[in-house]
């Protein structure tokens, strides 16, 4: 049997509140916007501290790779070009081929370096 909440001491109420806060935070249930905002300073400090660790550098590398590949694909797909095909014909296609070759070369070099890097 549990005691009525009103009959508990302030210390006991504070402990129950701490347990409820912990359970809310780590239960995996959706959290309120205020809880997310309250956690931001801690999470930002944690992110900045970890970004310069080995795992953080790998994360930044993956992000940079994603941005590079996405940018190359957008350059090829979008009609905006340094040398538009409509004006320069085959020369306009060559800049797209050059971008593809550079991207594939860069990806292969980076992938090889990742394979050779000791974990």
């Amino acid at each position: 049997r549990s005691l009525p909440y009103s009959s508990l001491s302030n210390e006991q109420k504070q402990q129950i509140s701490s347990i409820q806060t912990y359970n809310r935070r780590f239960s995996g249930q959706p959290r309120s916007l205020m809880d997310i905002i309250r956690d931001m300073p801690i999470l930002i400090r944690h992110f900045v501290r970890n970004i310069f660790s080995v795992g953080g550098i790998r994360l930044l590398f993956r992000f940079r790779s994603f941005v590079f590949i996405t940018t190359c694909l957008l350059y090829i797909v979008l009609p905006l070009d340094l040398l538009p095909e409509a004006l320069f014909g085959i020369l306009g296609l060559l800049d797209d081929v050059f971008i593809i070759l550079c991207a594939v070369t860069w990806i292969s070099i980076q992938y090889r370096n990742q394979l050779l890097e000791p974990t």
Side-chain angles (χ1 to χ4, degrees), residues 47 50-70 103-117:
F47 175 77
N50 286 332
I51 204 71
F52 297 107
S53 68
V54 174
I57 292 171
R58 286 187 181 146
L59 177 67
L60 283 178
F61 170 76
R62 288 183 182 134
F63 179 72
R64 182 183 71 177
S65 299
F66 173 76
V67 169
F68 177 74
I69 292 168
T70 304
V104 169
T105 303
W106 184 81
I107 290 168
S108 65
I109 290 170
Q110 297 302 320
Y111 184 69
R112 182 175 187 276
N113 289 340
Q114 287 292 328
L115 288 177
L116 295 176
E117 183 177 301

Side-chain angles (χ1 to χ4, degrees), residues 12-42:
Q12 291 171 326
K13 289 178 184 179
Q14 189 176 20
Q15 288 176 346
I16 289 173
S17 175
S18 295
I19 291 170
Q20 289 171 339
T21 301
Y22 178 87
N23 288 339
R24 238 189 349 266
R25 184 167 288 156
F26 297 107
S27 67
Q29 296 296 319
R31 299 178 56 222
S32 71
L33 181 61
M34 285 308 296
D35 283 342
I36 293 170
I37 290 172
R38 276 189 218 114
D39 287 345
M40 277 184 170
I42 295 168

